[in-house]
Amino acid sequence: MTFALASEGVRELDGGTGHPYESRSSNASNFKDRAMARRCELTGKGVMSGHLVSHANNRKKRVFRPNLQTVSLASDTLGQKVSLKISMNALRTVDRNGGLDVFLLKARDTALSTKALRLKRQIAKKQAKAASAA
């Protein structure tokens, strides 16, 4: 087995086409899912770093993590419950806006996870179908 054949096998498993000069940007959606480990699926709020400052003004690095919880939210348009990993700040915002459907339709696509984007498209499609039927 030559080196070229071994690298082609790795490319196929990697999800690529096997071309040696293939751009890795084609796997951007896969990377986004992996990068969302400690991120809110609705607001995109993630881990931040800063300093823990003592009384003597000594600075030590620390991490600020969002309060993430796995919550089941009901979608009125789809008529089903959806399980999302969201921050409690996002949960308060969803409640204030009037539910998951309203929040998702107002939200920017860049902050939403792949799962939330799929939900947003399903809700928009179903509401457009209901509006055209009425």
Side-chain angles (χ1 to χ4, degrees), residues 40 55 92 130:
C40 175
H55 182 69
R92 292 179 63 210

Side-chain angles (χ1 to χ4, degrees), residues 104-116:
L104 281 176
L105 292 175
K106 287 182 182 179
R108 293 186 314 235
D109 291 349
T110 56
L112 298 175
S113 69
T114 309
K115 186 177 181 180

Side-chain angles (χ1 to χ4, degrees), residues 47-121:
V47 176
M48 294 174 60
S49 63
H51 288 99
L52 184 115
V53 182
S54 69
H55 182 69
N57 209 20
N58 297 329
R59 288 175 168 82
K60 188 168 78 170
K61 285 291 237 182
R62 64 156 293 181
V63 175
F64 298 95
R65 292 188 178 94
N67 185 11
L68 294 178
Q69 304 293 330
T70 304
V71 178
S72 293
L73 297 172
S75 171
D76 297 330
T77 306
L78 299 177
Q80 63 185 12
K81 287 187 177 181
V82 181
S83 180
L84 294 170
K85 190 175 180 181
I86 63 172
S87 64
M88 292 299 98
N89 188 14
L91 182 64
R92 292 179 63 210
T93 308
V94 167
D95 287 341
R96 189 180 70 227
N97 284 343
L100 179 66
D101 300 342
V102 178
F103 178 85
L104 281 176
L105 292 175
K106 287 182 182 179
R108 293 186 314 235
D109 291 349
T110 56
L112 298 175
S113 69
T114 309
K115 186 177 181 180
L117 269 174
R118 196 174 305 124
L119 273 172
K120 181 178 180 176
R121 289 189 191 112

